[in-house]
Amino acid sequence: MYQFLLLDLDDTILDFHQSEYVAIRQTLSSFRIDPTDEVCKLYSQINLAHWKALERKEITREQLEVSRFEQLFAQLGVCADAAACGALYYENLSAGHYILPGAEEAVKRLSEKYDLYMVTNGTSKVQHRRIASAGIAPLFRDIFISQEMGADKPDMDFFRNAFARIPDFDPAKAMIVGDSISSDIRGGRNANIATCWINPRGKCAPEHTVPDYQIASITQLAQLLETIKGCC
């Protein structure tokens, strides 16, 4: 039934929260700011809010890169160069990767039966370095990064541009798989393709953006697809 699988990267294949935690601790330490767990949690909350604002087109990527650190420093009551901090953070974030348990093997198995495409919001340099570090690029037929696509998920321009690069693409045979309701599931619904929400904590989906399928991790995707195939 499905041939084209559009897989998100962060918190679908790679553990972004762990990468973020390590990178922000390294970055703040370089600016002589004590990276306590409380401070790191505060940054994560501010960063997530900024990415949601970017998805809604309320801010630009350039504003996000500086504003999140300006807000963090303001709440901490410290004086530091937000732009320089943002640049160093990206260097630290792109320096390594953490693959979610079982994700690499799951993607390898999927690549043997399906056409895999990566769809990720993020900065081109950071994402390419993390993908290269993880060694997963050969498993995908193409990689679509929002900064290179000229739009962020869930914007329809992101999906139009991606679909145009997929040979013989058929939306009826496509499914997007990701952990974000606001970018992956909403984007997939807007693009009229099937959606699969990775929901490890068993949260309730909002009524206005209900996914077609749910799994706890990407390790369950192959079995889901076989079940769907068997029902057809």
Side-chain angles (χ1 to χ4, degrees), residues 43 45-71 90 121 123 146 150-155:
Y43 169 78
Q45 293 170 343
I46 292 172
N47 184 50
L48 179 60
H50 275 69
W51 278 101
K52 296 298 183 185
L54 181 66
E55 290 174 7
R56 297 189 298 267
K57 298 184 179 181
E58 296 172 356
I59 60 174
T60 66
R61 182 179 301 276
E62 291 73 20
Q63 290 172 327
L64 176 149
E65 293 172 358
V66 177
S67 176
R68 56 186 172 179
F69 286 102
E70 289 177 337
Q71 185 175 338
Y90 270 150
N121 282 350
T123 303
S146 61
D152 296 275
K153 297 178 297 182
D155 193 302

Side-chain angles (χ1 to χ4, degrees), residues 85-187:
C85 189
L88 180 59
Y89 171 73
Y90 270 150
E91 286 298 318
N92 290 331
L93 184 64
S94 65
H97 70 276
Y98 301 88
I99 296 182
L100 290 167
E104 183 175 12
E105 182 57 34
V107 173
K108 285 181 180 178
R109 291 199 305 270
L110 290 166
S111 70
E112 296 170 358
K113 292 186 177 182
Y114 304 93
D115 297 339
L116 303 188
Y117 294 88
M118 188 182 296
V119 289
T120 176
N121 282 350
T123 303
S124 178
K125 178 181 177 182
V126 172
Q127 297 301 66
H128 276 302
R129 287 183 63 181
R130 295 174 67 231
I131 294 165
S133 176
I136 57 177
L139 302 176
F140 292 85
R141 294 176 181 263
D142 207 342
I143 295 172
F144 305 127
I145 300 175
S146 61
Q147 188 177 38
E148 299 174 351
M149 302 301 287
D152 296 275
K153 297 178 297 182
D155 193 302
M156 269 303 300
D157 284 343
F158 178 97
F159 290 93
R160 289 192 193 96
N161 294 338
F163 296 166
R165 284 170 46 177
I166 299 177
D168 301 317
F169 180 74
D170 181 353
K173 297 180 180 180
M175 175 191 288
I176 183 170
V177 182
D179 70 295
S180 174
I181 285 287
S182 62
S183 63
D184 300 313
I185 307 308
R186 184 176 300 162

Side-chain angles (χ1 to χ4, degrees), residues 202-228:
K203 296 180 180 179
C204 292
E207 293 183 2
H208 55 80
T209 316
V210 178
D212 296 299
Y213 308 99
Q214 291 190 44
I215 53 178
S217 80
I218 198 170
T219 60
Q220 299 174 353
L221 182 56
Q223 182 58 50
L224 171 67
L225 293 167
E226 288 300 315
T227 300
I228 295 170

Side-chain angles (χ1 to χ4, degrees), residues 7-54:
L7 305 183
D8 177 47
L9 177 65
D10 288 313
D11 293 326
T12 296
I13 300 170
L14 299 186
D15 187 338
F16 177 77
H17 291 290
Q18 180 65 19
S19 295
E20 179 188 63
Y21 180 76
V22 172
I24 195 62
R25 284 180 61 87
Q26 292 173 334
T27 303
L28 294 179
S29 294
S30 297
F31 281 78
R32 300 179 183 270
I33 299 171
D34 186 11
T36 65
D37 286 346
E38 183 178 358
V39 169
C40 293
K41 182 179 180 180
L42 175 60
Y43 169 78
S44 183
Q45 293 170 343
I46 292 172
N47 184 50
L48 179 60
H50 275 69
W51 278 101
K52 296 298 183 185
L54 181 66

